[in-house]
Amino acid sequence: MSRILTAAVIAGLALAPGSVAAATPAAAAKPPVAVNPTTLDPEAQAAIDAMGRYLRTLKSFEIVADGYAEDVLDSGQKVSIPGTLRYAAQFPDKLFVEIGNDRSLRRIYFDGRKVTIDAPRHKLYTDAPLAGTIATLIAVAYEKYDITLPLSDLFLWGDPARPVPAPQAGFKVGPETIGDTKVDHYAFRQPGIDWQVWITQGDKPLPLRIIMTNTQDPSQPQYGAKLTWTVNPVLAADRFSFTPAADSGRISLASVDGSKPQETK
C-alpha cells in the first residue's frame, strides 16, 4: 500500500483506541469513597474475565458502535469527530469491518485466506494473502502493517492463547442503566490508558459502552462508543469477501519494513 493510503487507513482507524458515546451524568453514579485507584479490585477483574468468557462462547456477532474521537488542535482545543464502527464476525476466521465518518470510510474484509482494505470513496483497494483466524488478522495487521483494529480486545478477551494483559488498577463504579438495560460500570487503569466499560448484568455480560482516555498525551483525548449487539446471527459468506467495482483501482499493500506481499489471485 502506498504510504499515503496507509496513513489514510490509519487515520480512519483512529476511530480506534481513540469514538465516545455520551457519558453517564456525574450525578447518576459516584465511585465509592473507599476505592483505592492504585489497586485492582478482584470483583472488577472477575467482571471482565466473565465478559471475556461469554464473548468467546459466541459463534458470530454483529456490532454497531456509535461514538466519537477527540482530535487535539495545536492550540490545545479538543474537537470531537463523530463516527460509526461496524463489525460482523463469524468465528474463528471471518471478519468484516466498516469504519466511517464524514471525512473517511474504510472497509476491511477477511475470509480466512485473504485480507482486503477498501477505500470506496477513493475507489482504491489493497489486499494481501493472510491465512488464519481473526486473532491472526489482528496480530498481523498490527505487527506487519501497523494497523490497529478498533476495539480489537473484543476478539481477544477470554482467549487463553492470546491473553489480554490485566489492568494495573480497577474498581466497580456502580450499577447504572443504558436505555432499558441494567449494567455495571467499571473503571480501569493501565500504562498509557484509563478506560471504562459498562457491562450488562446477568448471564450474558456484553459491553454496552466503552470510554478510553489516552493518558500518554498531556491533553488526554478520549475515545468512546455505545455498542449495539446482535448475537449469533446467520451471516452470508459473501459478507466477508470483496468484489471490486469496475472503476476501482488496486494498489500494493506494503508492510512496515517496506516489503510487498505476493500477488493474490
Side-chain angles (χ1 to χ4, degrees), residues 1-76:
M1 180 197 300
S2 71
R3 274 301 171 197
I4 292 176
L5 185 57
T6 300
V9 168
I10 294 173
L13 292 172
L15 257 171
S19 263
V20 182
T24 302
K30 295 181 180 180
V33 175
V35 163
N36 182 350
T38 64
T39 63
L40 179 58
D41 186 334
E43 181 183 0
Q45 180 65 61
I48 56 175
D49 289 345
M51 178 182 67
R53 287 193 298 271
Y54 176 64
L55 288 172
R56 299 290 71 82
T57 68
L58 302 179
K59 304 302 182 183
S60 62
F61 61 65
E62 291 185 276
I63 305 171
V64 178
D66 293 305
Y68 67 84
E70 290 185 338
D71 188 16
V72 182
L73 307 181
D74 291 340
S75 65

Side-chain angles (χ1 to χ4, degrees), residues 29-32 35-48 51 157 166-176 184-190 193-199 209-213 222:
K30 295 181 180 180
V35 163
N36 182 350
T38 64
T39 63
L40 179 58
D41 186 334
E43 181 183 0
Q45 180 65 61
I48 56 175
M51 178 182 67
W157 270 316
Q168 288 184 335
F171 61 92
K172 182 178 180 178
V173 178
E176 299 178 16
D184 287 319
H185 177 189
Y186 297 89
F188 297 94
R189 171 164 285 184
Q190 55 198 75
I193 187 169
D194 288 349
W195 58 283
Q196 303 172 67
V197 61
W198 286 253
I199 302 174
R209 179 180 291 153
I210 294 176
I211 293 178
M212 291 176 277
T213 303
Q222 285 189 331

Side-chain angles (χ1 to χ4, degrees), residues 115-137:
V115 59
T116 302
I117 302 173
D118 180 36
R121 293 176 185 169
H122 298 284
K123 298 183 179 180
L124 293 173
Y125 71 95
T126 183
D127 55 24
L130 179 59
T133 64
I134 294 173
T136 305
L137 168 66

